[in-house]
């Protein structure tokens, strides 16, 4: 794939690979086998957080070795980087099915301030799952405004704005197969 073509040439030239596709794929396979071992013999419901986690979830689930695994999605928009970090999060798409009494694993792209993470824990705990855990591909622990710790973490990364592998900047770059640092002033709405 050529990054040189098209109208985004200038912005794309400021992208630096942080985690290449092979490194990401290897780690995703490791997470999948760890999760499979932990949930062996138990039905598992994955809850993917839209939009950023869709690519991660798709790769994770295909490497899981579990007989009974189902998927639902929750859309969450969070604001904070460009709008004075109010820590507000809101549901843009609710789950299709109840999670009551189920073992639930939240699948998120990135854990940053921890606001979205805490919000999700709160609203999903209230729905009385049997258990609730979370896997995040990327973790920026340096930026927390609230304590948050995922049960499974792909990579701990530096405090930089990253795109690719499902993560966007203003809806761009989600399609990139690797995780890249975006060096650019002014970052927009997250999600
Ligand atoms: P938090 O509420 O600050 O933890 O933010 C979590 C959400 O913000 C993630 O699910 C992403 O959608 C978005 N986000 C945080 N950091 C980045 C980044 O570096 N690149 C792209 N999106 C990000």
């Amino acid at each position: 794939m050529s990054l040189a073509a098209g109208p985004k040439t200038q912005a794309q030239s400021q992208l630096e690979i942080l985690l290449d596709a092979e490194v990401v794929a290897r780690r995703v396979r490791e997470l999948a086998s760890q999760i499979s071992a932990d949930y062996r013999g138990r039905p598992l419901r994955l809850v993917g957080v839209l939009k950023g986690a869709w690519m991660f979830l798709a790769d994770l689930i295909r490497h899981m070795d579990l007989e009974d695994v189902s998927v639902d999605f929750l859309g969450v928009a969070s604001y904070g980087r460009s709008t004075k970090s109010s820590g507000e999060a809101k549901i843009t798409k609710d789950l299709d099915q109840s999670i009551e009494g189920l073992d639930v694993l939240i699948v998120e792209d990135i854990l940053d301030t921890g606001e979205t993470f805490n919000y999700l824990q709160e609203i999903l705990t209230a729905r009385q799952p049997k258990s609730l855990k979370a896997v995040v591909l990327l973790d920026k622990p340096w930026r927390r405004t609230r304590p948050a710790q995922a049960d499974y973490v792909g990579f701990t990364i530096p405090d930089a704005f990253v795109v690719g592998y499902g993560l966007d900047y203003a809806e761009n770059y989600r399609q990139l197969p690797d995780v890249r640092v975006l060096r650019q002033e002014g970052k927009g709405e997250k999600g």
Side-chain angles (χ1 to χ4, degrees), residues 46-135:
L46 299 181
V47 169
V49 182
L50 298 172
K51 299 180 196 171
W54 60 271
M55 196 180 281
F56 176 38
L57 188 146
D59 285 345
L60 191 66
I61 196 169
R62 82 184 75 190
H63 291 107
M64 281 182 175
D65 182 19
L66 287 174
E67 285 200 356
D68 192 348
V69 55
S70 56
V71 181
D72 205 344
F73 289 98
L74 190 66
V76 178
S78 55
Y79 306 83
R81 199 170 305 273
S82 63
T83 58
K84 284 196 200 155
S85 195
S86 63
E88 266 176 53
K90 63 169 186 182
I91 293 186
T92 55
K93 183 223 166 286
D94 206 343
L95 294 173
D96 290 334
Q97 290 162 315
S98 165
I99 54 167
E100 192 175 340
L102 301 181
D103 286 314
V104 173
L105 182 66
I106 302 171
V107 182
E108 262 209 278
D109 53 355
I110 187 164
L111 185 46
D112 187 19
T113 63
E115 298 292 340
T116 307
F117 186 89
N118 276 286
Y119 173 72
L120 288 174
Q121 296 283 330
E122 242 166 67
I123 60 160
L124 296 182
T125 300
R127 298 179 186 194
Q128 301 182 311
K130 184 172 164 196
S131 71
L132 184 64
K133 290 191 173 185
V135 54

